[in-house]
């Protein structure tokens, strides 16, 4: 039988659903919250709801945004001739943290995976093609992950981008095959951006 009063039990259960948090850690966190000042608990609850209520997707690049356009698309200092295509916002953050890229992005929100029923319609690909028609883009850097779905996605993008008058490049090797851009160290990521090769 669950030894905790229902509200504590509920909190443990919810915290335990967070990635990497087992029941033991969830219990420790729940008791920390239980003993914390009320003001902290209110701030925590507001912060959690804030990411649900105040975060939307940038209407241009589909990065996370707190307004119509994300901070990168709003920044006039970014090089609008370059678009780096990534699978997820976390990949964009990894590239941003390197400080070595000054262009714009386009976030697909996933990758192609025919076995999982994930076709091109599930990604923001049409919107990317539309951007190529309306923005002064000279180069599209395909920065999908170097695993099987990421490579499938890259090859599909290459085919769809070919009719446009833009240079298409792919991140250079250096990122381990099967690896995830999000977890690659900054130096490797900068190097693979600099040594990107034409498709
Ligand atoms: Zn944006």
């Amino acid at each position: 039988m669950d030894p905790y009063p229902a509200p504590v039990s509920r909190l443990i259960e919810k915290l335990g659903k967070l990635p990497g948090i087992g029941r033991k850690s969830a219990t420790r966190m729940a008791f920390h919250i239980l003993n914390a000042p009320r003001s902290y608990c209110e701030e925590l609850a507001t912060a959690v709801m804030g990411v649900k209520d105040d975060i939307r997707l940038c209407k241009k690049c589909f990065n996370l945004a707190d307004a119509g356009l994300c901070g990168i698309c709003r920044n006039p200092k970014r090089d609008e001739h370059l678009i780096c295509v990534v699978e997820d916002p976390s990949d964009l953050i990894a590239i941003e943290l390197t400080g070595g890229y000054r262009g714009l992005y386009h976030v697909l929100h996933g990758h192609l995976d025919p076995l999982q029923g994930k076709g091109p319609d599930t990604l923001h690909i049409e919107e990317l093609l539309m951007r190529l028609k309306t923005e002064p883009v000279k180069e599209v850097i395909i920065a999908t992950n170097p695993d099987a779905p990421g490579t499938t996605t890259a090859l599909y993008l290459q085919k769809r981008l070919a009719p446009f008058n833009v240079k298409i490049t792919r991140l250079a090797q250096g990122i381990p095959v099967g690896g995830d851009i999000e977890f690659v160290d900054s130096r490797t990521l900068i190097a693979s951006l600099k040594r990107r090769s034409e498709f």
Side-chain angles (χ1 to χ4, degrees):
M1 214 191 92
D2 197 336
Y4 306 109
V8 178
S9 199
R10 207 158 43 224
L11 184 57
I12 292 172
E13 189 221 320
K14 298 298 172 205
L15 291 170
K17 288 192 170 145
L18 294 170
I21 303 295
R23 191 169 169 83
K24 215 168 161 183
S25 302
T27 305
R28 205 179 312 134
M29 287 161 87
F31 275 91
H32 177 81
I33 293 169
L34 183 63
N35 293 318
R38 188 179 174 84
S39 59
Y40 170 79
C41 296
E42 281 169 356
E43 283 161 21
L44 178 65
T46 305
V48 170
M49 286 319 293
V51 295
K52 289 318 289 177
D53 296 341
D54 303 333
I55 292 291
R56 58 193 92 170
L57 297 182
C58 172
K59 58 185 179 188
K60 188 154 122 178
C61 76
F62 300 97
N63 180 22
L64 302 179
D66 55 6
L69 291 176
C70 72
I72 294 168
C73 287
R74 284 202 306 264
N75 185 348
K77 289 190 181 141
R78 305 293 298 217
D79 182 354
E80 55 182 6
H81 299 112
L82 267 176
I83 290 184
C84 180
V85 181
V86 293
E87 293 183 24
D88 293 303
S90 52
D91 299 328
L92 180 155
I93 301 285
I95 295 174
E96 275 304 285
L97 288 176
T98 67
Y101 178 70
R102 299 300 302 159
L104 300 176
Y105 291 92
H106 192 83
V107 186
L108 298 172
H109 285 270
H111 46 239
L112 291 178
D113 198 343
L115 294 176
Q116 300 288 327
K118 281 179 155 179
D121 296 352
T122 63
L123 307 177
H124 293 288
I125 292 176
E126 293 305 322
E127 292 93 337
L128 172 64
L129 303 180
M130 193 54 81
R131 290 182 68 184
L132 297 187
K133 290 176 188 163
T134 55
E135 294 174 38
V137 184
K138 287 186 182 154
E139 180 180 348
V140 175
I141 305 164
I142 302 177
T144 52
N145 288 322
D147 55 9
T151 306
T152 306
T153 311
L155 291 170
Y156 177 81
L157 282 176
Q158 185 208 10
K159 208 169 69 187
R160 296 294 308 273
L161 295 171
F164 293 88
N165 186 26
V166 289
K167 189 169 158 190
I168 308 165
T169 53
R170 179 96 168 101
L171 285 193
Q173 268 78 42
I175 299 173
V177 173
D180 192 321
I181 287 173
E182 188 186 344
F183 301 114
V184 173
D185 68 278
S186 286
R187 270 178 56 193
T188 307
L189 203 46
I190 287 184
S192 69
L193 260 168
K194 285 198 176 129
R195 291 185 287 112
R196 64 185 182 266
S197 53
E198 201 145 355
F199 228 132

